[in-house]
Amino acid sequence: AQKVTQAQTEISVVEKEDVTLDCVYETRDTTYYLFWYKQPPSGELVFLIRRNSFDEQNEISGRYSWNFQKSTSSFNFTITASQVVDSAVYFCALSEADFGNEKLTFGTGTRLTIIP
Amino acid sequence: DVKVTQSSRYLVKRTGEKVFLECVQDMDHENMFWYRQDPGLGLRLIYFSYDVKMKEKGDIPEGYSVSREKKERFSLILESASTNQTSMYLCASSPGGKNNSPLHFGNGTRLTVT
């Protein structure tokens, strides 16, 4: 069975600080996909990134970066120079590489609050 | 842009009522999903469908059923609503195929069962 753990329930940081959201996953599959979604107060989940299990390169997109380490089964998300608009609930998710079947297993989410 | 539309943002129903939550997507996606979101539990998959008239149980299907008569529409049905089904319900769709594409979510329906 697949499992995603986001141990940090809530994090608060002062604006412009860096913050890392942790994600640890469990799966028996050798091929899988990892995702991060953002849920702002409006409620709609917004896709941030997808990573497949064969690609361990770190990724940077503006102030966002992701660190994927298969050795520790982790897929951590860092926001650099945080801004108030980054306040949201962030979900890490995992899917099997069962082509055409894209159901996701989600973590419990981390509520991030950026204090102005 | 893909649009996933859930018919109601807020819904209040009484215990024992039959409840329909409707979801429509406009991008000809093969796959559609219903999740519920509860504090401390994240999102849990109720049912999904990868084709018209096809459905598969997710992790928590008890007390729910679904209907997919047309490709663009996926309905979640609570046969006899109970208070423990008070939750936020999120519909999502995806293209299907080989690339495990991201899911596109609707804004959610917050259901209260009294």
Side-chain angles (χ1 to χ4, degrees):
Chain A
Q2 300 181 109
K3 185 178 179 182
V4 177
T5 301
Q6 295 179 256
Q8 303 152 308
T9 306
E10 295 191 28
I11 301 176
S12 295
V13 300
V14 176
E15 194 173 18
K16 298 183 183 175
E17 287 185 356
D18 300 347
V19 58
T20 295
L21 309 183
D22 297 334
C23 174
V24 174
Y25 62 91
E26 296 174 30
T27 179
R28 293 182 180 176
D29 295 332
T30 55
T31 305
Y32 50 89
Y33 289 81
L34 294 163
F35 300 78
W36 276 95
Y37 283 83
K38 174 182 180 180
Q39 187 179 40
S42 61
E44 181 178 346
L45 271 82
V46 176
F47 165 73
L48 295 178
I49 189 172
R50 177 187 65 190
R51 201 35 129 216
N52 76 51
S53 52
F54 295 112
D55 184 1
E56 285 193 74
Q57 279 194 333
N58 291 334
E59 178 149 346
I60 298 174
S61 176
R63 296 183 296 105
Y64 295 172
S65 62
W66 290 269
N67 182 280
F68 176 28
Q69 292 196 341
K70 284 178 83 169
S71 60
T72 56
S73 297
S74 65
F75 186 44
N76 296 338
F77 172 32
T78 297
I79 302 174
T80 303
S82 60
Q83 300 176 3
V84 172
V85 293
D86 296 326
S87 295
V89 181
Y90 291 86
F91 290 96
C92 180
L94 168 70
S95 74
E96 305 166 345
D98 182 1
F99 299 132
N101 172 3
E102 293 155 325
K103 62 176 186 154
L104 295 178
T105 298
F106 283 84
T108 52
T110 298
R111 180 177 297 277
L112 176 64
T113 302
I114 309 299
I115 303 165
Chain B
D1 264 0
V2 176
K3 188 122 177 101
V4 178
T5 303
Q6 294 183 230
S7 54
S8 303
R9 188 82 169 111
Y10 298 95
L11 214 50
V12 180
K13 296 292 182 181
R14 293 190 182 276
T15 301
E17 278 193 74
K18 189 169 186 176
V19 181
F20 293 84
L21 303 184
E22 307 287 349
C23 175
V24 176
Q25 50 93 5
D26 65 359
M27 281 301 289
D28 202 36
H29 281 176
E30 300 291 330
N31 297 343
M32 295 189 75
F33 306 81
W34 275 106
Y35 284 87
R36 66 176 278 176
Q37 181 179 1
D38 300 287
L41 297 176
L43 278 75
R44 294 178 291 166
L45 182 64
I46 305 171
Y47 267 97
F48 64 101
S49 167
Y50 51 86
D51 202 352
V52 176
K53 296 193 186 294
M54 305 297 286
K55 62 183 179 183
E56 295 262 352
K57 292 180 180 179
D59 299 318
I60 51 165
E62 296 78 20
Y64 303 95
S65 62
V66 290
S67 171
R68 194 164 180 204
E69 297 295 319
K70 294 184 177 181
K71 192 174 186 179
E72 67 271 18
R73 186 180 295 272
F74 192 36
S75 303
L76 179 69
I77 304 159
L78 287 65
E79 296 289 343
S80 177
S82 63
T83 55
N84 63 14
Q85 293 177 308
T86 291
S87 185
M88 170 70 88
Y89 291 87
L90 292 163
C91 176
S93 72
S94 67
K98 294 187 176 181
N99 294 323
N100 282 60
S101 300
L103 302 189
H104 298 265
F105 283 86
N107 282 341
T109 295
R110 186 167 294 282
L111 173 67
T112 302
V113 183
T114 60

